[in-house]
Amino acid sequence: MAGTFDLELVSPEKLILSRPVEMATIPAAEGEMGVLPGHSPMIVALRGGVIRVRENGQETERLFVMGGFAEVTPTRVTVLAEEATPVADLSRAEAERRLAEAEAALNGLSEPTPAATEAAMARVAAARAMVQAAGAA
């Protein structure tokens, strides 16, 4: 199809999405990143956030990812997500529970090395993004 690229979203459990799309916005670690056909090749780390899919000139799908990586080529984007859920299926109560657990884990680090602190802070940020996405669903 002209004006599209193949988008694949894979979680550890299954292939969640695989089809041609016009545009995808992904939550890259450095900030929101829009991908269109012909994009420069790159591999990016993902933070917790929402992947937005555009087809036929409109947003057709929103999927929450807890983090992972994306490989971008001019004709394909492959997202390897740690965890992925359609935004409509998110539970605010579950998201708030996960945020409380992540904050407790951060505050309870027995050996707060820089690597452990960074990983715990990333979990807190992802859980906060999940709460926000669940509230907007």
Side-chain angles (χ1 to χ4, degrees):
M1 284 175 125
T4 64
F5 61 91
D6 293 325
L7 174 63
E8 285 195 345
L9 174 58
V10 181
S11 75
E13 294 83 29
K14 64 182 177 178
L15 174 66
I16 295 170
L17 182 127
S18 179
R19 65 176 183 258
V21 302
E22 291 173 354
M23 180 180 179
T25 304
I26 59 176
E30 297 81 21
E32 296 293 310
M33 179 178 153
V35 181
L36 294 165
H39 197 286
S40 298
M42 61 181 57
I43 295 176
V44 295
L46 300 179
R47 60 179 164 72
V50 176
I51 294 177
R52 292 172 173 78
V53 179
R54 290 189 62 84
E55 299 170 285
N56 300 316
Q58 61 188 358
E59 188 175 282
T60 58
E61 201 148 4
R62 296 176 52 213
L63 301 144
F64 182 83
V65 295
M66 282 300 283
F69 293 90
E71 178 185 24
V72 179
T73 71
T75 60
R76 171 183 296 280
V77 173
T78 303
V79 175
L80 304 173
E82 294 173 13
E83 181 183 327
T85 308
V87 169
D89 294 347
L90 290 176
S91 158
R92 182 159 181 108
E94 172 65 11
E96 288 175 347
R97 182 190 66 75
R98 290 177 71 167
L99 175 58
E101 285 178 0
E103 288 174 336
L106 174 62
N107 293 330
L109 285 175
S110 58
E111 293 188 36
T113 64
T117 301
E118 184 177 339
M121 288 175 67
R123 283 191 296 278
V124 168
R128 282 186 181 143
M130 180 182 261
V131 169
Q132 184 178 14

